[in-house]
Amino acid sequence: MLDEEILRMEGITKEYQMGEETSVVLKGIDLTVNRGEFLAILGPSGSGKSTLMNIIGCLDVPTDGKYYLHGNLIADEDQTSLARIRSVEIGFIFQSFHLLQRQDAYQNVELPLIYANMPEKERRARVEEMLIKVGLEDKMHHMPNQLSGGQQQRVAIARAIATNPTILLADEPTGALDQKTGAQVMELFHELNNEGRTIIMITHDPKIASHATRIVRILDGNISEGELGDA
Amino acid sequence: MNNLAIIKQSFIMSLQNIRANKMRSFLTMLGIVIGVGSVIGLVTIVHIVTGAVMGNLSGLGAGKLTIYGYVSATKMGLTENDVKQLSAIDGVLGVAPVASQSATIVVDKEEYKKIRLRGVSDIYFRQNPDSVTAGRGFTGSDMDGNTNICIVEESFIKKALKGKQVLGGKILIRGVEYTIVGIAKNDESLLSYMTSASALEGAVLVPFKNVLSMEGKKIIYNAEVYVKEGYDIGMVESSLRSALSNMYNGDKDAFDVINLQSLNTMMDQVKGLLSALMGGIASISLLVGGIGIMNMMLVSVSERTKEIGLRKALGAEPSRIQLQFLIEAVVLSGMGGLIGIGLGLGIALIASAIMKADFVISFSAIAMGVGFSAAVGIIFGWVPAKRASELNPIDALRAE
């Protein structure tokens, strides 16, 4: 099972039209990720890592090349089908948490389950299970501004894993946290990975990347396999 | 689909947003409040006014025709014989003639000149039992022409019998003593105003034959004709017309047959037209209110770009985002609509008090208010909701 291929990119390019000029952000990316991997995509800002994340997360489609997610080719999908794919396949974790400020922890975790059409009873059990998993069972009805940064990111992680997605896609997940809470979040990532979840983490920080079991480097739109401890 | 959960959640969220932007929401709603308020207020006032006029007519309307026989070159109004002939027409249940005369009446030695005296038959009271508010109406045995009893209208009491014993009291009509047996409502019908200038002063009602046997000018100038159940009132009307035409030697201007039901229908049309006109004028302010909603929703969408981006990243399809913002617009306009209904009914209540008319809640107006405000929400929420649904999630997430 562990060797099952769940993501494959073949010659992915992404171009943006900027007035007269075309800027090529991704220049033919080949990447394969197997189930259960904890992959870090390491690169400085401007390297194209955000664009790559958007394509992996089905927020954007490539200009050229082939992207298979869970065996399905993601190509000229419209926004509605992309939303459905995201709902099932992707769990996002953002640098700045992106919690809805007027909703409590419970409601924030519930949100993707509503979009995934899970019935209410099942939803409740699931939300509670997720919040227990990230250690926030006593903060279920706290609003985001009543939670510390680390706790907010835990809510965001609970939200990301609630739908049991194929890939957990984290964008600088510790970027807004201090070192200690950042380490705790990484601890949680290890736990999730040990349970068999596939994690792809985008970061510019080699120290954070070193938590992953595999690192690829991205620079100027090209990707290269890195070594652990290569930082 | 899990749309119910989305609707419920969107509903709660829109209430949260309204609460979070109290002032802005209030000002936005104000447009709808004024719009719906003026629609409801004006339409309800139209209903109250027309209702007051029609209330007088409607009681007289059903199954009844009123005939007028005027004084012509050949004929002094209707005769007793005419009434008998008209009673025999197929479909006529009965004819209640009214013989009118003006007479001097003496109450406790005080003279009241030119009081309208109406000779009324017992059929009238059988058909209009509500017309007597105290005492009794005339019955068949009162109709022999020798029973000197009378019924006084309320405004006559005000004029001549204030503070006196009314029922059982005695008054002199043309020198003959009459006993008061009943009190009748003032005849405030539109027809009474049209046909008798002294309607406001109140009349005294005596048995029909008594008037005929009195001295002086006496004319049976009108009669109420009651139609048997199951007969078409229009058919009876045309039979009456041809009979009257014979009596007046073909002089069609000398008589009238008035079908109050057709008058009612006409009034209904007038009412509908007036309501539509007033409602139409007031809807202009609803339009302005709708533009306010659109403006606020557009601001809301641009303020919440990041939220929209996040929802999309979490798997929300564009249609669900659209639904959410539409619901918010409808909640906003719907709340304004509810307040507006209250405001409009309040205005109508005050107006009805000023006009001394009965206040009636027009449910069609309320339905219209609810419908209008919901429609305004949907129509003017559509563009902002569409815009929200079309936001690119990447740009939206990056927005500050």
Side-chain angles (χ1 to χ4, degrees):
Chain A
M1 259 312 258
L2 273 182
D3 284 341
E4 184 199 352
E5 178 185 286
I6 55 164
L7 180 153
R8 185 150 53 94
M9 289 185 151
E10 292 172 1
I12 292 290
T13 65
K14 185 70 185 175
E15 295 171 2
Y16 289 106
Q17 203 69 35
M18 308 270 266
E20 300 260 300
E21 278 170 50
T22 307
S23 79
V24 185
V25 181
L26 298 179
K27 301 168 179 165
I29 304 270
D30 296 315
L31 180 67
T32 308
V33 179
N34 291 335
R35 184 179 290 279
E37 273 195 288
F38 182 178
L39 172 74
I41 297 173
L42 180 63
S45 60
S47 59
K49 65 182 195 298
S50 292
T51 305
L52 181 60
M53 188 201 89
N54 289 338
I55 291 173
I56 293 172
C58 299
L59 289 166
D60 207 349
V61 287
T63 309
D64 208 355
K66 284 189 173 132
Y67 173 33
Y68 296 93
L69 178 61
H70 220 154
N72 301 310
L73 180 66
I74 312 290
D76 298 321
E77 314 287 342
D78 61 16
Q79 284 295 332
T80 299
S81 352
L82 283 178
R84 290 202 183 120
I85 294 165
R86 287 196 294 272
S87 177
V88 175
E89 308 282 358
I90 310 289
F92 284 99
I93 297 162
F94 302 96
Q95 178 175 1
S96 49
F97 326 137
H98 282 332
L99 297 178
L100 295 182
Q101 291 303 312
R102 291 198 206 111
Q103 312 256 304
D104 64 19
Y106 181 97
Q107 289 168 317
N108 268 289
V109 176
E110 190 185 24
L111 199 56
L113 298 174
I114 291 174
Y115 292 132
N117 297 323
M118 189 183 275
E120 179 159 13
K121 241 190 200 156
E122 229 177 293
R123 220 156 62 210
R124 188 176 314 138
R126 187 96 184 133
V127 172
E128 282 168 9
E129 186 195 333
M130 291 302 116
L131 283 168
I132 290 167
K133 192 179 207 71
V134 298
L136 290 174
E137 59 269 31
D138 54 341
K139 303 241 181 322
M140 277 190 199
H141 297 289
H142 282 53
M143 304 304 277
N145 60 15
Q146 297 170 310
L147 297 171
S148 71
Q151 287 168 335
Q152 287 188 53
Q153 193 61 301
R154 279 163 190 274
V155 174
I157 292 167
R159 179 179 66 187
I161 59 177
T163 53
N164 210 3
T166 312
I167 295 172
L168 266 184
L169 190 56
D171 180 17
E172 303 278 9
T174 60
L177 301 175
D178 61 47
Q179 215 166 1
K180 195 176 151 220
T181 40
Q184 284 167 352
V185 165
M186 280 303 107
E187 194 59 38
L188 187 54
F189 271 43
H190 280 297
E191 261 175 54
L192 295 171
N193 182 232
N194 288 339
E195 287 170 11
R197 289 177 197 276
T198 313
I199 303 173
I200 299 177
M201 180 169 72
I202 283 103
T203 181
H204 71 284
D205 183 351
K207 260 199 225 121
I208 293 299
S210 69
H211 285 277
T213 52
R214 180 184 157 206
I215 297 176
V216 293
R217 291 166 180 278
I218 182 166
L219 197 63
D220 285 335
N222 289 305
I223 204 165
S224 58
E225 245 0 91
E227 294 293 320
L228 277 179
D230 201 28
Chain B
M1 278 300 266
N2 215 357
N3 273 344
L4 203 69
I6 296 284
I7 289 170
K8 190 175 143 199
Q9 202 218 15
S10 301
F11 186 77
I12 294 165
M13 282 205 56
S14 51
L15 290 181
Q16 286 171 340
N17 279 323
I18 288 167
R19 214 176 309 145
N21 300 301
K22 276 194 202 82
M23 192 63 182
R24 194 165 74 190
S25 305
F26 169 72
L27 289 175
T28 307
M29 265 191 261
L30 200 59
I32 299 294
V33 169
I34 292 170
V36 170
S38 47
V39 170
I40 300 279
L42 287 175
V43 171
T44 307
I45 288 170
V46 167
H47 275 251
I48 288 171
V49 171
T50 51
V53 176
M54 287 176 72
N56 291 326
L57 291 178
S58 64
L60 309 169
K64 193 173 92 175
L65 294 159
T66 306
I67 57 173
Y68 290 88
Y70 304 120
V71 178
S72 78
T74 55
K75 203 170 158 67
M76 288 289 286
L78 297 167
T79 65
E80 262 188 289
N81 196 34
D82 292 343
V83 171
K84 236 176 245 163
Q85 277 186 42
L86 294 173
S87 309
I89 288 173
D90 189 29
V92 172
L93 179 71
V95 178
V98 178
S100 254
Q101 188 179 49
S102 99
T104 299
I105 291 174
V106 180
V107 182
D108 285 348
K109 289 179 185 145
E110 206 159 323
E111 276 191 15
Y112 296 92
K113 286 186 176 160
K114 289 191 174 171
I115 296 298
R116 183 147 297 266
L117 205 57
R118 284 206 189 99
V120 186
S121 71
D122 54 320
I123 299 171
Y124 175 81
F125 292 101
R126 272 212 302 279
Q127 294 292 328
N128 302 288
D130 291 344
S131 63
V132 175
T133 56
R136 64 176 181 92
F138 299 147
T139 61
S141 59
D142 300 329
M143 292 293 124
D144 57 4
N146 300 315
T147 311
N148 292 340
I149 56 170
C150 66
I151 293 168
V152 290
E153 281 189 353
E154 279 158 359
S155 44
F156 181 77
I157 295 173
K158 232 184 226 168
K159 188 185 172 101
L161 292 164
K162 226 174 195 170
K164 289 175 186 157
Q165 173 67 27
V166 178
L167 289 180
K170 307 217 187 282
I171 59 174
L172 289 177
I173 301 173
R174 286 187 176 273
V176 180
E177 193 179 76
Y178 277 74
T179 307
I180 302 170
V181 297
I183 297 170
K185 272 189 243 173
N186 296 328
D187 184 5
E188 282 182 327
S189 69
L190 200 61
L191 284 170
S192 164
Y193 287 118
M194 292 191 306
T195 55
S196 146
S198 58
L200 281 172
E201 303 189 353
V204 174
L205 280 50
V206 297
F208 176 65
K209 276 202 174 164
N210 292 39
V211 171
L212 292 186
S213 59
M214 278 175 194
E215 279 174 36
K217 206 170 77 175
K218 55 221 162 194
I219 301 166
I220 308 177
Y221 80 98
N222 77 354
E224 289 190 348
V225 178
Y226 305 102
V227 178
K228 281 182 189 158
E229 238 174 274
Y231 278 82
D232 177 33
I233 198 160
M235 292 278 291
V236 177
E237 186 182 342
S238 55
S239 311
L240 281 173
R241 278 184 191 283
S242 59
L244 282 163
S245 181
N246 280 339
M247 292 168 191
Y248 275 94
N249 292 325
D251 183 358
K252 286 199 165 35
D253 292 332
F255 64 88
D256 267 326
V257 179
I258 291 174
N259 181 349
L260 283 167
Q261 254 175 356
S262 63
L263 210 63
N264 270 341
T265 317
M266 207 178 72
M267 283 295 291
D268 261 339
Q269 284 170 342
V270 169
K271 179 171 143 186
L273 220 66
L274 266 177
S275 297
L277 186 72
M278 293 292 194
I281 293 168
S283 326
I284 294 170
S285 52
L286 257 182
L287 183 77
V288 176
I291 294 168
I293 297 258
M294 176 134 91
N295 190 36
M296 167 152 176
M297 291 308 298
L298 284 173
V299 170
S300 179
V301 167
S302 66
E303 276 180 355
R304 287 156 65 196
T305 302
K306 205 171 205 157
E307 174 197 323
I308 295 163
L310 172 73
R311 285 173 180 273
K312 290 193 161 184
L314 297 184
E317 294 147 18
S319 60
R320 294 203 179 186
I321 300 288
Q322 192 174 355
L323 182 68
Q324 182 192 335
F325 278 86
L326 260 184
I327 287 170
E328 289 195 20
V330 171
V331 166
L332 207 57
S333 65
M335 278 176 77
L338 287 180
I339 299 170
I341 289 171
L343 181 78
L345 291 179
I347 290 170
L349 187 67
I350 293 166
S352 70
I354 291 169
M355 295 186 295
K356 295 197 171 62
D358 287 339
F359 176 67
V360 275
I361 289 180
S362 156
F363 287 98
S364 64
I366 291 175
M368 211 159 82
V370 171
F372 269 3
S373 52
V376 163
I378 291 170
I379 292 166
F380 290 93
W382 189 268
V383 170
K386 190 83 193 155
R387 181 170 292 188
S389 76
E390 283 167 354
L391 282 176
N392 178 337
I394 301 165
D395 299 337
L397 270 173
R398 221 180 278 141
E400 279 313 319

Short mmCIF file of all heavy atoms in Angstrom, two decimals, chain A residues 43-81:
data_model
loop_
_atom_site.label_atom_id
_atom_site.label_comp_id
_atom_site.label_asym_id
_atom_site.label_seq_id
_atom_site.Cartn_x
_atom_site.Cartn_y
_atom_site.Cartn_z
N GLY A 43 12.18 25.84 -1.12
CA GLY A 43 12.66 26.82 -2.10
C GLY A 43 12.49 28.22 -1.58
O GLY A 43 11.63 28.48 -0.75
N PRO A 44 13.33 29.13 -2.06
CA PRO A 44 13.20 30.53 -1.63
C PRO A 44 11.98 31.18 -2.28
O PRO A 44 11.38 30.60 -3.18
CB PRO A 44 14.50 31.17 -2.14
CG PRO A 44 14.88 30.34 -3.32
CD PRO A 44 14.40 28.95 -3.06
N SER A 45 11.65 32.38 -1.83
CA SER A 45 10.50 33.04 -2.43
C SER A 45 10.83 33.41 -3.87
O SER A 45 11.98 33.72 -4.19
CB SER A 45 10.11 34.28 -1.63
OG SER A 45 11.19 35.19 -1.60
N GLY A 46 9.86 33.32 -4.74
CA GLY A 46 10.08 33.59 -6.16
C GLY A 46 10.56 32.38 -6.93
O GLY A 46 10.80 32.46 -8.12
N SER A 47 10.68 31.25 -6.24
CA SER A 47 11.19 30.05 -6.92
C SER A 47 10.10 29.33 -7.69
O SER A 47 10.36 28.44 -8.48
CB SER A 47 11.78 29.10 -5.88
OG SER A 47 10.78 28.75 -4.94
N GLY A 48 8.85 29.72 -7.44
CA GLY A 48 7.72 29.05 -8.10
C GLY A 48 7.04 28.06 -7.20
O GLY A 48 6.13 27.34 -7.63
N LYS A 49 7.42 28.02 -5.89
CA LYS A 49 6.85 26.99 -5.03
C LYS A 49 5.37 27.24 -4.73
O LYS A 49 4.60 26.30 -4.59
CB LYS A 49 7.66 26.82 -3.74
CG LYS A 49 7.68 28.01 -2.79
CD LYS A 49 8.58 27.68 -1.60
CE LYS A 49 8.38 28.62 -0.42
NZ LYS A 49 8.69 30.02 -0.71
N SER A 50 4.99 28.52 -4.67
CA SER A 50 3.57 28.80 -4.43
C SER A 50 2.71 28.36 -5.61
O SER A 50 1.63 27.79 -5.45
CB SER A 50 3.34 30.29 -4.19
OG SER A 50 3.91 30.66 -2.97
N THR A 51 3.25 28.62 -6.82
CA THR A 51 2.53 28.21 -8.02
C THR A 51 2.38 26.69 -8.06
O THR A 51 1.32 26.15 -8.38
CB THR A 51 3.27 28.72 -9.27
OG1 THR A 51 3.44 30.12 -9.14
CG2 THR A 51 2.50 28.39 -10.53
N LEU A 52 3.47 26.02 -7.69
CA LEU A 52 3.43 24.56 -7.67
C LEU A 52 2.39 24.07 -6.65
O LEU A 52 1.62 23.14 -6.92
CB LEU A 52 4.82 24.01 -7.32
CG LEU A 52 4.94 22.48 -7.29
CD1 LEU A 52 4.59 21.89 -8.66
CD2 LEU A 52 6.36 22.05 -6.88
N MET A 53 2.37 24.74 -5.49
CA MET A 53 1.39 24.35 -4.48
C MET A 53 -0.03 24.54 -4.99
O MET A 53 -0.90 23.69 -4.80
CB MET A 53 1.58 25.17 -3.21
CG MET A 53 0.73 24.67 -2.07
SD MET A 53 0.45 25.90 -0.80
CE MET A 53 -1.01 26.68 -1.42
N ASN A 54 -0.26 25.64 -5.68
CA ASN A 54 -1.60 25.90 -6.21
C ASN A 54 -2.04 24.81 -7.19
O ASN A 54 -3.20 24.42 -7.21
CB ASN A 54 -1.66 27.26 -6.91
CG ASN A 54 -1.60 28.40 -5.90
OD1 ASN A 54 -1.91 28.20 -4.73
ND2 ASN A 54 -1.17 29.57 -6.35
N ILE A 55 -1.08 24.33 -7.98
CA ILE A 55 -1.42 23.30 -8.95
C ILE A 55 -1.66 21.97 -8.23
O ILE A 55 -2.65 21.27 -8.50
CB ILE A 55 -0.34 23.19 -10.04
CG1 ILE A 55 -0.39 24.46 -10.91
CG2 ILE A 55 -0.54 21.94 -10.90
CD1 ILE A 55 0.71 24.57 -11.93
N ILE A 56 -0.78 21.64 -7.27
CA ILE A 56 -0.99 20.41 -6.50
C ILE A 56 -2.34 20.46 -5.79
O ILE A 56 -3.09 19.49 -5.78
CB ILE A 56 0.14 20.21 -5.45
CG1 ILE A 56 1.47 19.94 -6.16
CG2 ILE A 56 -0.18 19.04 -4.51
CD1 ILE A 56 2.68 19.94 -5.22
N GLY A 57 -2.67 21.65 -5.25
CA GLY A 57 -3.92 21.78 -4.50
C GLY A 57 -5.15 22.00 -5.37
O GLY A 57 -6.22 22.26 -4.85
N CYS A 58 -4.97 21.90 -6.68
CA CYS A 58 -6.09 22.05 -7.61
C CYS A 58 -6.77 23.41 -7.49
O CYS A 58 -7.97 23.55 -7.74
CB CYS A 58 -7.13 20.95 -7.45
SG CYS A 58 -6.47 19.33 -7.75
N LEU A 59 -5.99 24.40 -7.06
CA LEU A 59 -6.53 25.76 -7.08
C LEU A 59 -6.27 26.38 -8.45
O LEU A 59 -6.87 27.37 -8.82
CB LEU A 59 -5.86 26.61 -6.00
CG LEU A 59 -6.24 26.27 -4.55
CD1 LEU A 59 -5.28 26.93 -3.58
CD2 LEU A 59 -7.67 26.70 -4.26
N ASP A 60 -5.36 25.77 -9.17
CA ASP A 60 -4.96 26.28 -10.48
C ASP A 60 -4.67 25.08 -11.38
O ASP A 60 -4.45 23.98 -10.89
CB ASP A 60 -3.69 27.14 -10.31
CG ASP A 60 -3.58 28.20 -11.40
OD1 ASP A 60 -4.37 28.12 -12.38
OD2 ASP A 60 -2.72 29.09 -11.28
N VAL A 61 -4.70 25.31 -12.68
CA VAL A 61 -4.36 24.23 -13.60
C VAL A 61 -3.10 24.61 -14.37
O VAL A 61 -2.85 25.79 -14.61
CB VAL A 61 -5.52 23.94 -14.59
CG1 VAL A 61 -6.65 23.22 -13.87
CG2 VAL A 61 -6.02 25.21 -15.24
N PRO A 62 -2.27 23.63 -14.74
CA PRO A 62 -1.02 23.94 -15.43
C PRO A 62 -1.26 24.42 -16.86
O PRO A 62 -2.31 24.15 -17.45
CB PRO A 62 -0.27 22.61 -15.42
CG PRO A 62 -1.33 21.57 -15.28
CD PRO A 62 -2.43 22.20 -14.48
N THR A 63 -0.28 25.16 -17.40
CA THR A 63 -0.36 25.58 -18.79
C THR A 63 -0.12 24.37 -19.70
O THR A 63 -0.79 24.19 -20.71
CB THR A 63 0.71 26.66 -19.09
OG1 THR A 63 0.60 27.68 -18.09
CG2 THR A 63 0.53 27.26 -20.45
N ASP A 64 0.82 23.56 -19.29
CA ASP A 64 1.15 22.37 -20.09
C ASP A 64 1.62 21.26 -19.15
O ASP A 64 1.97 21.52 -18.01
CB ASP A 64 2.25 22.72 -21.11
CG ASP A 64 2.15 21.83 -22.34
OD1 ASP A 64 1.29 20.90 -22.33
OD2 ASP A 64 2.92 22.06 -23.29
N GLY A 65 1.65 20.07 -19.66
CA GLY A 65 2.08 18.94 -18.86
C GLY A 65 0.89 18.18 -18.29
O GLY A 65 -0.26 18.61 -18.48
N LYS A 66 1.20 17.08 -17.63
CA LYS A 66 0.12 16.25 -17.12
C LYS A 66 0.22 16.10 -15.61
O LYS A 66 1.28 15.86 -15.06
CB LYS A 66 0.19 14.86 -17.79
CG LYS A 66 -0.33 14.92 -19.21
CD LYS A 66 -0.48 13.56 -19.81
CE LYS A 66 -1.19 13.68 -21.16
NZ LYS A 66 -0.47 12.90 -22.19
N TYR A 67 -0.92 16.28 -14.97
CA TYR A 67 -0.99 16.15 -13.52
C TYR A 67 -2.03 15.11 -13.17
O TYR A 67 -3.22 15.29 -13.44
CB TYR A 67 -1.31 17.51 -12.88
CG TYR A 67 -1.57 17.46 -11.39
CD1 TYR A 67 -0.91 16.54 -10.57
CD2 TYR A 67 -2.45 18.34 -10.79
CE1 TYR A 67 -1.14 16.49 -9.20
CE2 TYR A 67 -2.70 18.30 -9.41
CZ TYR A 67 -2.04 17.37 -8.63
OH TYR A 67 -2.28 17.32 -7.29
N TYR A 68 -1.54 14.00 -12.61
CA TYR A 68 -2.47 12.95 -12.17
C TYR A 68 -2.59 13.00 -10.65
O TYR A 68 -1.58 12.97 -9.95
CB TYR A 68 -1.98 11.56 -12.58
CG TYR A 68 -1.92 11.36 -14.07
CD1 TYR A 68 -0.74 11.62 -14.78
CD2 TYR A 68 -3.04 10.89 -14.76
CE1 TYR A 68 -0.69 11.44 -16.14
CE2 TYR A 68 -2.99 10.72 -16.13
CZ TYR A 68 -1.81 10.99 -16.82
OH TYR A 68 -1.76 10.80 -18.16
N LEU A 69 -3.80 13.11 -10.17
CA LEU A 69 -4.02 13.09 -8.73
C LEU A 69 -4.95 11.91 -8.45
O LEU A 69 -6.07 11.86 -8.96
CB LEU A 69 -4.66 14.40 -8.26
CG LEU A 69 -4.99 14.49 -6.77
CD1 LEU A 69 -3.74 14.35 -5.92
CD2 LEU A 69 -5.69 15.82 -6.46
N HIS A 70 -4.42 10.97 -7.63
CA HIS A 70 -5.23 9.80 -7.30
C HIS A 70 -5.70 9.09 -8.57
O HIS A 70 -6.82 8.60 -8.66
CB HIS A 70 -6.45 10.24 -6.47
CG HIS A 70 -6.74 9.27 -5.38
ND1 HIS A 70 -7.38 9.63 -4.22
CD2 HIS A 70 -6.49 7.96 -5.25
CE1 HIS A 70 -7.52 8.58 -3.44
NE2 HIS A 70 -6.97 7.56 -4.04
N GLY A 71 -4.82 9.10 -9.55
CA GLY A 71 -5.13 8.39 -10.79
C GLY A 71 -5.93 9.19 -11.80
O GLY A 71 -6.12 8.77 -12.93
N ASN A 72 -6.41 10.36 -11.40
CA ASN A 72 -7.22 11.16 -12.33
C ASN A 72 -6.41 12.30 -12.91
O ASN A 72 -5.69 12.99 -12.20
CB ASN A 72 -8.44 11.75 -11.61
CG ASN A 72 -9.31 10.66 -11.03
OD1 ASN A 72 -9.68 9.72 -11.72
ND2 ASN A 72 -9.60 10.78 -9.74
N LEU A 73 -6.56 12.50 -14.21
CA LEU A 73 -5.88 13.60 -14.88
C LEU A 73 -6.62 14.91 -14.58
O LEU A 73 -7.81 15.03 -14.83
CB LEU A 73 -5.84 13.34 -16.39
CG LEU A 73 -5.14 14.41 -17.23
CD1 LEU A 73 -3.66 14.46 -16.92
CD2 LEU A 73 -5.37 14.15 -18.72
N ILE A 74 -5.87 15.86 -14.01
CA ILE A 74 -6.47 17.16 -13.73
C ILE A 74 -6.08 18.09 -14.87
O ILE A 74 -4.91 18.48 -14.98
CB ILE A 74 -5.94 17.77 -12.40
CG1 ILE A 74 -5.99 16.76 -11.26
CG2 ILE A 74 -6.69 19.05 -12.05
CD1 ILE A 74 -7.33 16.39 -10.77
N ALA A 75 -7.00 18.39 -15.71
CA ALA A 75 -6.65 19.25 -16.85
C ALA A 75 -7.59 20.44 -16.93
O ALA A 75 -7.59 21.29 -16.06
CB ALA A 75 -6.64 18.44 -18.13
N ASP A 76 -8.44 20.45 -17.93
CA ASP A 76 -9.27 21.63 -18.15
C ASP A 76 -10.56 21.60 -17.33
O ASP A 76 -11.64 21.73 -17.87
CB ASP A 76 -9.60 21.75 -19.64
CG ASP A 76 -8.33 21.94 -20.45
OD1 ASP A 76 -7.46 22.66 -19.96
OD2 ASP A 76 -8.24 21.36 -21.55
N GLU A 77 -10.39 21.42 -16.04
CA GLU A 77 -11.60 21.35 -15.20
C GLU A 77 -12.14 22.76 -14.97
O GLU A 77 -11.39 23.72 -14.90
CB GLU A 77 -11.25 20.73 -13.84
CG GLU A 77 -10.39 19.48 -13.91
CD GLU A 77 -11.14 18.26 -14.41
OE1 GLU A 77 -12.38 18.29 -14.37
OE2 GLU A 77 -10.49 17.29 -14.85
N ASP A 78 -13.46 22.84 -14.82
CA ASP A 78 -14.02 24.14 -14.46
C ASP A 78 -13.96 24.30 -12.93
O ASP A 78 -13.58 23.38 -12.21
CB ASP A 78 -15.45 24.31 -14.99
CG ASP A 78 -16.39 23.27 -14.42
OD1 ASP A 78 -16.04 22.62 -13.41
OD2 ASP A 78 -17.49 23.11 -14.98
N GLN A 79 -14.32 25.48 -12.47
CA GLN A 79 -14.20 25.78 -11.04
C GLN A 79 -15.03 24.83 -10.17
O GLN A 79 -14.63 24.47 -9.07
CB GLN A 79 -14.63 27.24 -10.77
CG GLN A 79 -13.58 28.26 -11.20
CD GLN A 79 -12.30 28.15 -10.40
OE1 GLN A 79 -12.29 27.72 -9.25
NE2 GLN A 79 -11.19 28.52 -11.02
N THR A 80 -16.18 24.43 -10.70
CA THR A 80 -17.04 23.55 -9.90
C THR A 80 -16.39 22.18 -9.71
O THR A 80 -16.33 21.65 -8.59
CB THR A 80 -18.42 23.40 -10.58
OG1 THR A 80 -19.01 24.69 -10.65
CG2 THR A 80 -19.33 22.48 -9.79
N SER A 81 -15.83 21.61 -10.79
CA SER A 81 -15.20 20.29 -10.62
C SER A 81 -13.93 20.40 -9.80
O SER A 81 -13.63 19.50 -9.01
CB SER A 81 -14.90 19.62 -11.96
OG SER A 81 -15.43 20.31 -13.01
#
